Amino acid sequence: MEVISIKPFLAMVVSLLGAALIVLTRNHPNRREGVSLVAASIKFLIVLTMIPDVIAGNTLHFTLLSFLPGLSIAFRVDALGLLFAIVASFLWILTTIYSIGYMRPLNEHAQTRYYLCFALTLSATMGVAFSANLLTLYLFYELLTIVTYPLVTHKQTDEAYAGGNKYLFYLLGTSKAFLLAAVILTYVVSGTLSFKPGGFLTTSADPALLVLVYFLFLFGIGKAAIMPVHAWLPAAMVAPTPVSALLHAVAVVNTGVFCVLRIILHVFGVDMMQMLNLGVATAFLASFTIIMASIYALTRDNLKARLAYSTVSQLSYIILGGALLNPIGITGGVMHIANHAFSKITLFFCAGSIYVTLHKTEISQMGGIGRQMPWTMAAFSIGALSMIGVPPLPGFITKWHLALGAVEAKELSLLIVLVVSTLLNAAYFIPIIYKAFFEPPASAHTPNGVHNTEHSEKVTESFAMVFPLMVSAVISLILGFYPDLLLTLVRQV
């Protein structure tokens, strides 16, 4: 049943108001960051109030502006959008706390701009999550790219601008060249852009044109990081770690795969995807990305770079789940939106904690840091084991559903992809854990006999950073032990 409600609009606009207050309190850091926390908490509470309606099978609707028949800026809350919104809004709270512990010790510049752009980013993310149609989704998708650019280039170095320019080139280039064309062609073919369970495209359209439109969507949604339109994501790792954590473990990348699932489920629909054999083609592209990105991750010594390529790989698990076109496979893909978000943001939080505390960025430098930073590396181990798929962590739940979905679809080659990718996951994560806990630190004495205090000084982990990374790690554990917390909502999809 459709229910008219202003709640999705309020969830989007509350962080816009927060952004205005952040600017007004720019000369008072405690108030400015307090505003960020309050705005994030209010947004999360608004999102939570929508759960009972969605669990009851209702969808919430709110139309802001109407232009032509089938063309409007409107919001719609269903199970898929609500799941994405819950994850993003909650993790904004954790990232705000984490940012305080990261930005202040490093005395980072332009902190007001940083918090301002974060607030705008969450408004754009909510806009995508609750879009009722392709027009609304496209507008907020583009807005998300623009407001995150200052975050990617925050350091304002030549390297930061180079990474930011690649970020803009890929994301704006693909959206203008492919995504916009797909939206226009969809309207021409169907006369509407409004999402509909089971899809709204009709079989009367030319099949060749529908295939073209689908691939324009797939490669136009560059934020999903399907190869070869993935290079923006590793380049964007020049951003501060909290930016990498929220944007490239949750907001930006999850927006990409969320949009792909919207196209599969609510534009084309499972029946149309099967009729055009688009599921097989999508699964092949996702599988290629999963394996190749894992191989790239294995070759990177920089911790954030390894996590970036891991993200490229893990995102395609979500797309693979949708491409299986059966309930159990789709369940695995949708669940991984939350499973990956909590596990991967934990890993990025840990990378930032290591950098702030020990000023280390390379994996080869991390011998013995598990004894220096036990809380951080314990959380890192939980996140990494989840990405590998070790039971009972949530990554295992994802891979179990994907494996069952592959068997049901009689695509045994995808089982091989899952096994190989799991081995590669282990190959690039386990050495980090082993090095941290079981290898000794570098010698406390240099070759010339001069005492090196690097490893003899006591290290104190920042509570403002350890608290959010431990919370996200514990939630990862909970999602693994009690998957029904997610399954109740996912089954509505």
Side-chain angles (χ1 to χ4, degrees):
M1 185 176 72
E2 294 186 2
V3 177
I4 305 300
S5 173
I6 199 173
K7 288 180 182 179
F9 177 72
L10 292 178
M12 184 275 295
V13 84
V14 68
S15 43
L16 291 181
L17 298 176
L21 291 174
I22 287 168
V23 173
L24 291 175
T25 57
R26 60 188 177 276
N27 296 324
H28 304 277
N30 289 339
R31 295 179 189 174
R32 177 190 64 204
E33 289 148 23
V35 166
S36 293
L37 276 173
V38 170
S41 301
I42 292 172
K43 181 187 290 289
F44 181 58
L45 290 174
I46 292 171
V47 171
L48 288 183
T49 64
M50 305 181 205
I51 294 177
D53 273 314
V54 173
I55 293 296
N58 300 325
T59 56
L60 307 181
H61 289 258
F62 182 79
T63 300
L64 187 62
L65 293 170
S66 292
F67 305 107
L68 296 169
L71 284 180
S72 63
I73 297 177
F75 302 94
R76 172 180 177 271
V77 182
D78 62 4
L80 181 60
L82 184 60
L83 175 66
F84 179 29
I86 291 170
V87 171
S89 59
F90 177 75
L91 290 177
W92 185 27
I93 300 172
L94 290 188
T95 306
T96 301
I97 298 170
Y98 181 87
S99 295
I100 296 169
Y102 184 94
M103 303 295 280
R104 289 193 179 188
L106 296 178
N107 197 28
E108 287 280 356
H109 71 293
Q111 292 190 32
T112 296
R113 184 187 67 199
Y114 171 91
Y115 288 105
L116 167 66
C117 289
F118 254 126
L120 296 175
T121 295
L122 265 294
S123 282
T125 303
M126 291 300 111
V128 171
F130 296 143
S131 293
N133 54 59
L134 282 170
L135 175 62
T136 308
L137 183 144
Y138 178 79
L139 293 175
F140 282 102
Y141 179 97
E142 291 287 68
L143 178 62
L144 182 60
T145 302
I146 294 166
V147 299
T148 51
Y149 175 77
L151 292 170
V152 174
T153 59
H154 176 82
K155 295 181 180 178
Q156 296 181 291
T157 61
D158 290 341
E159 183 186 14
Y161 283 121
N165 290 341
K166 181 175 282 190
Y167 181 81
L168 279 186
F169 175 78
Y170 271 86
L171 296 188
L172 288 182
T174 54
S175 66
K176 294 291 189 295
F178 305 134
L179 181 56
L180 181 59
V183 172
I184 293 171
L185 286 172
T186 300
Y187 186 72
V188 170
V189 167
S190 64
T192 184
L193 295 176
S194 297
F195 297 129
K196 178 184 176 183
F200 60 81
L201 290 174
T202 64
T203 55
S204 60
D206 181 3
L209 178 60
L210 292 176
V211 170
L212 171 64
V213 169
Y214 177 77
F215 283 104
L216 287 174
F217 274 122
L218 196 60
F219 290 109
I221 302 172
K223 292 182 176 73
I226 295 176
M227 288 185 172
V229 292
H230 70 287
W232 63 271
L233 201 158
M237 289 300 119
V238 295
T241 302
V243 174
S244 301
L246 187 65
L247 272 60
H248 303 120
V250 186
V252 171
V253 296
N254 269 1
T255 292
V257 291
F258 170 83
C259 289
V260 172
L261 290 180
R262 272 280 187 239
I263 300 306
I264 291 174
L265 299 176
H266 298 138
V267 174
F268 280 78
V270 170
D271 292 340
M272 178 75 74
M273 292 284 294
Q274 289 174 335
M275 185 186 76
L276 299 174
N277 291 318
L278 293 173
V280 174
T282 306
F284 172 80
L285 288 169
S287 299
F288 178 79
T289 301
I290 288 169
I291 299 299
M292 289 306 300
S294 296
I295 292 172
Y296 276 117
L298 191 58
T299 65
R300 297 305 187 266
D301 188 43
N302 181 275
L303 181 56
K304 283 180 66 178
R306 186 169 292 193
L307 294 179
Y309 279 106
S310 170
T311 298
V312 174
S313 175
Q314 293 285 332
L315 291 175
S316 280
Y317 283 121
I318 299 171
I319 296 171
L320 178 61
L324 287 170
L325 303 179
N326 56 47
I328 195 162
I330 293 170
T331 296
V334 174
M335 285 186 72
H336 205 51
I337 291 176
N339 293 344
H340 173 258
F342 281 99
S343 298
K344 187 55 65 66
I345 204 169
T346 300
L347 296 174
F348 274 113
F349 280 169
C350 292
S353 180
I354 293 166
Y355 175 69
V356 169
T357 306
L358 298 176
H359 302 288
K360 293 181 177 181
T361 58
E362 308 303 305
I363 295 165
S364 56
Q365 302 169 343
M366 294 180 183
I369 66 169
R371 293 186 289 278
Q372 294 175 292
M373 305 180 66
W375 292 105
T376 296
M377 291 312 299
F380 185 95
S381 299
I382 292 171
L385 294 174
S386 176
M387 291 292 91
I388 294 168
V390 175
L393 293 165
F396 170 76
I397 306 298
T398 294
K399 292 185 179 182
W400 178 254
H401 280 83
L402 292 179
L404 293 179
V407 171
E408 185 175 316
K410 298 180 181 178
E411 295 289 346
L412 298 185
S413 60
L414 298 181
L415 280 178
I416 298 173
V417 169
L418 291 171
V419 171
V420 172
S421 68
T422 297
L423 294 174
L424 289 170
N425 297 159
Y428 63 72
F429 275 128
I430 288 179
I432 304 173
I433 300 171
Y434 180 85
K435 184 177 285 289
F437 287 105
F438 300 106
E439 283 191 6
S443 175
H445 293 274
T446 61
N448 62 9
V450 177
H451 185 65
N452 181 355
T453 61
E454 179 184 0
H455 300 289
S456 58
E457 293 178 352
K458 184 173 177 58
V459 170
T460 301
E461 298 175 84
S462 165
F463 175 78
M465 301 181 78
V466 168
F467 174 74
L469 65 85
M470 287 304 299
V471 170
S472 58
V474 168
I475 292 176
S476 284
L477 285 172
I478 292 171
L479 291 177
F481 279 101
Y482 302 103
D484 284 350
L485 295 173
L486 276 182
L487 281 171
T488 302
L489 193 58
V490 170
R491 287 184 180 124
Q492 296 288 328
V493 177

